[in-house]
């Protein structure tokens, strides 16, 4: 086909725009842009048009012209400040880097926010690895993905799983057919449940009658599109509210949201506007250090996700991270750090909220009212609402899973109580010393865990303690309470003595308590270190715990080796001690076995060798940065696999010389139990930057 023909074709091709609105409230969400007029040019469908353009070598030019038409019309009609979505259909011809780059180049020229553009992909397209990777790459950049023609075949399930789209689009004929077949109806109902767990919004297209609108409601498709809403037109209709849909979607007064069970337990946590600069976001976390995440809202007050402190730490500690924070024009935007969280309206029944926590392990559910952000709902708050709701039993039965719900609630309430108690066992503040900086991290594998750490203070002496009870759950968590109470009793007994006690004495004292409380059913590994704050002398005793690491200023990494029985093993256990001297620049890391033994999805452990390398490579970092980086590396390694064991770290770093510090090397105090293979392994290691 001659080039001049394509010039004519490109001038004649146009787009039609059809609004997508909320099926209850009539509020416009955005517009689907449909390529039109190709039939008049002799093409049966848009795929045939694109195939012919590819054969003639005209696809790049056609792609640019079409992008300019659709994006230019959107920007000129709605302006660059609009947050209404533009749903743009893509097929395999356009789903290549070159075509996508051309499209995004036009998009950037109009200064539109990334969240406006939603790439629409048919669920039955044969997507390959490169297509999935390309879409996920752009989704990570803030663009959105819509999966069309869902429920028509099983081929779309893989795309649903691998893309986790923002929107799932169903056609009315598909749902109409499903209503006549129980298996299809069940399949689509479960697909609807999956979409809620994935936080994907359901859109029903071809809503051309009021009957189709009722079908949308029966399948809980909150967003609709079709002739009954508004016809497709050559221009974008700037109408933002469709009153006839709003009138049909009104609920009866008996369903008034004012008395919903969860309203009273929703936490009105202040949300961050999505345009807030990164320095201000960091300041929020610094001022509210007990917060691990904040919700983020768009200009309309709608929630778009949460920003988590762990994601910010990775950025801050990366190369040039701090410089980019202080230069917002060159750094990242807040929307690039967003994590998805499940959304629910404040009127959502409790039985629909419970699975969001039990199946997705979400930190919270973001609660909305009239699509606007209202607050967050945490698992403990949901349990409170359940305990206060007189219809809890009916709720469980209505789910058809009463035994599961009751078991989950019973266990959750038990864990909630134990977790609340266990928090009181942990230090409320870290030691604040002139010569030593301290950092810590604690995360149980379940709501409660068997790890514990703490500090004891005597005259010019600091005890650093870490332990791990066998098992998980409430019994193990409460055994950590025995350790905590015993250590406090020990501190009170010896606080009036002229000379501080030794770590071996503490372990003997603890051993008797664990034996008595655990009835020989539980054992606890424990490491106790006693630091003389005048001389820098560290005396330690180990009851079967992982050997802590000493990282010396010059880069040598060593273990604090000492072997004694676990606590609670037998009543006649003896606990030997060793001593070393710490010097300026030395770093100590105490940890529990979960750090190195939790596995990745493919069954590999993070491992001691990896920890050894990171300690050496990160020795120039502050102790807080070091602990944060180790944790981030480990949890990135664990990936989607939930850790099987608790993870606890305590780090100490000597920042100034001790007043009476003796000038001797640490090696003279170490016994031959130091592994010579470890030292030779260290000498062979090449430098590895933290990634």
């Amino acid at each position: 086909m001659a080039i001049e023909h394509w010039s004519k074709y490109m001038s004649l091709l146009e787009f039609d725009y059809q609004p997508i609105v909320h099926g209850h409230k009539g509020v416009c969400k955005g517009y689907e842009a449909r390529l039109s007029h190709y039939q008049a040019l002799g093409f049966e469908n848009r795929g045939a048009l694109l195939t012919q353009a590819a054969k003639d070598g005209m696809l790049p030019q056609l792609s640019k012209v079409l992008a300019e038409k659709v994006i230019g019309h959107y920007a000129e009609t709605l302006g660059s400040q609009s947050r209404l979505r533009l749903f743009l259909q893509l097929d395999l011809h356009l789903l290549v880097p070159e075509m996508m780059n051309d499209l995004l180049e036009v998009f950037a020229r109009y200064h539109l926010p990334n969240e406006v553009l939603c790439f629409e992909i048919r669920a039955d397209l044969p997507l390959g690895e490169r297509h999935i990777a390309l879409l996920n790459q752009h989704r990570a950049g803030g663009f959105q993905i819509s999966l069309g023609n869902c429920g028509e075949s099983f081929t779309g399930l893989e795309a649903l799983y691998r893309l986790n789209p923002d929107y799932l689009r169903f056609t009315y004929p598909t749902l109409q057919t499903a209503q006549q077949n129980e298996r299809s109806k069940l399949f689509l109902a479960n697909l609807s449940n999956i979409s809620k767990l994935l936080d994907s919004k359901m859109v029903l297209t071809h809503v051309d009658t009021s009957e189709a609108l009722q079908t949308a409601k029966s399948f809980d498709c909150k967003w609709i599109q079709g002739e009954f809403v508004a016809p497709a037109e050559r221009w974008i209709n700037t109408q933002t509210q469709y009153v006839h849909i709003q009138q049909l979607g009104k609920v009866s007064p008996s369903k008034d949201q004012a008395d919903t069970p969860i309203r009273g337990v929703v936490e009105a946590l202040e949300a961050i506007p999505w345009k807030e600069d990164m320095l201000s976001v960091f300041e929020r976390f610094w001022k509210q250090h007990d917060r691990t995440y904040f919700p983020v809202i768009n200009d309309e007050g709608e929630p778009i996700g949460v920003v988590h402190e762990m994601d910010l730490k990775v950025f801050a500690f990366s190369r040039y991270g701090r410089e980019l924070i202080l230069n917002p024009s060159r750094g990242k935007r807040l929307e690039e750090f967003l994590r998805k969280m499940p959304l629910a309206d404040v009127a959502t029944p409790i039985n629909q909220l419970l699975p969001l926590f039990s199946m997705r392990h979400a930190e919270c559910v973001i609660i909305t009212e009239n699509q606007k952000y209202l607050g967050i709902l945490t698992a403990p708050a949901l349990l409170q609402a359940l305990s206060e709701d007189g219809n809890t039993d009916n709720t469980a039965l209505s789910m058809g899973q009463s035994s599961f719900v009751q078991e989950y609630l019973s266990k959750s309430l038990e864990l909630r109580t134990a977790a609340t108690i266990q928090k009181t066992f942990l230090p409320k503040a870290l030691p604040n010393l002139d010569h030593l900086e301290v950092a810590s991290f604690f995360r149980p594998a379940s709501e409660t865990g068997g790890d514990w750490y703490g500090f004891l203070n005597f005259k010019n002496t600091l005890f650093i303690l870490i332990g791990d009870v066998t098992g998980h759950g409430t019994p193990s968590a409460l055994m950590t309470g025995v350790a905590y109470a015993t250590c406090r009793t020990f501190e009170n007994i010896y606080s009036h003595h002229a000379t501080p006690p030794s770590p071996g004495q503490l372990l003997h004292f603890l051993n008797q308590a664990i034996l008595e409380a655990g009835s020989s059913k539980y054992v606890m590994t424990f490491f106790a270190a006693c630091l003389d704050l005048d001389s820098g002398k560290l005396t330690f005793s180990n009851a079967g715990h992982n050997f802590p690491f000493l990282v010396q200023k010059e880069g040598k990494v060593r273990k604090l080796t000492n072997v004694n029985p676990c606590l609670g093993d037998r009543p006649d256990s003896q606990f030997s001690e060793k001593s070393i001297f710490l010097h300026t620049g030395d770093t100590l890391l105490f940890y529990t076995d979960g750090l190195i033994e939790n596995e990745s999805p493919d069954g590999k452990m993070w491992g001691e060798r990896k920890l050894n390398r990171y300690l050496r490579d990160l020795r120039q970092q502050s102790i807080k940065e070091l602990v944060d980086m180790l944790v981030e590396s480990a949890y990135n390694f664990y990936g989607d696999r939930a850790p099987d064991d608790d993870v606890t770290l305590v780090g100490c770093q000597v920042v100034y010389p001790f007043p009476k510090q003796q000038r001797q090397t640490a090696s003279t105090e170490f016994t031959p139990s130091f592994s010579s293979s470890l030292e030779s392994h260290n000498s062979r290691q090449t430098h590895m930057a933290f990634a």
Side-chain angles (χ1 to χ4, degrees), residues 648-666:
T648 304
L649 294 85
V650 178
C652 304
Q653 194 171 68
V654 183
V655 291
Y656 294 110
F658 295 99
K660 299 178 181 178
Q661 192 171 63
Q662 300 178 30
R663 305 302 179 186
Q664 65 181 55
T665 61

Side-chain angles (χ1 to χ4, degrees), residues 219-387:
F219 275 92
D220 205 19
C221 290
K222 288 191 169 58
W223 299 96
I224 58 173
Q225 172 189 351
E227 294 292 319
F228 186 72
V229 180
E233 298 176 304
R234 284 280 304 277
W235 59 88
I236 292 177
N237 188 331
T238 57
Q239 184 176 343
T240 58
Q241 185 82 35
Y242 290 79
V243 178
H244 67 294
I245 300 296
Q246 183 185 23
Q247 292 294 331
L248 289 171
K250 283 184 177 179
V251 296
S252 61
S254 61
K255 296 183 180 179
D256 194 328
Q257 296 178 350
D259 298 324
T260 58
I262 65 169
R263 184 182 292 276
V265 294
V266 171
E267 180 186 356
L269 178 61
E270 183 181 3
I272 302 177
W274 75 283
K275 289 183 179 178
E276 187 160 303
D277 65 88
M278 291 306 301
L279 187 57
S280 300
V281 175
F282 273 90
E283 286 176 351
R284 283 181 185 260
F285 282 98
W286 292 330
K287 290 177 180 177
Q288 301 185 50
H289 53 82
D290 59 327
R291 285 289 175 191
T292 57
Y293 60 88
F294 282 97
V296 180
I297 56 175
N298 61 19
D299 290 341
E300 284 73 42
E302 301 168 335
I304 55 177
V306 302
V307 57
H308 201 284
E309 66 170 354
M310 291 299 288
D311 300 323
L312 296 183
K313 285 176 180 177
V314 177
F315 174 58
F317 295 147
S318 65
R319 191 178 185 185
Y320 308 124
R322 289 192 177 99
E323 289 80 358
L324 291 173
I325 293 170
L326 298 174
N327 292 277
S329 61
R330 301 172 57 190
K332 289 193 173 186
R333 296 175 298 181
L334 176 57
E335 62 191 67
E336 297 178 59
F337 294 95
L338 292 183
R339 287 189 185 187
K340 283 289 206 179
M341 283 290 155
L343 301 176
D345 189 87
V346 69
T348 303
I350 291 181
N351 65 332
Q352 293 182 22
L353 292 169
L354 187 62
L356 297 180
F357 289 102
S358 61
M359 296 176 67
R360 193 176 175 180
H361 305 290
E363 291 184 88
C364 71
V365 172
I366 299 178
I367 302 300
T368 61
E369 186 169 31
N370 297 323
Q371 303 179 68
K372 310 296 184 185
Y373 171 74
L374 182 66
I376 63 167
L377 180 70
T378 61
L382 175 60
L383 292 172
Q384 179 184 335
L386 280 164
S387 64

Side-chain angles (χ1 to χ4, degrees), residues 541-563:
S541 186
N542 187 2
H545 197 75
N546 297 83
F547 299 140
F549 281 95
L550 168 67
V551 187
Q552 296 175 299
K553 185 177 181 180
E554 64 273 15
K556 185 173 286 187
V557 181
R558 292 178 162 179
K559 291 181 183 178
L560 303 185
T561 56
N562 175 240
V563 181

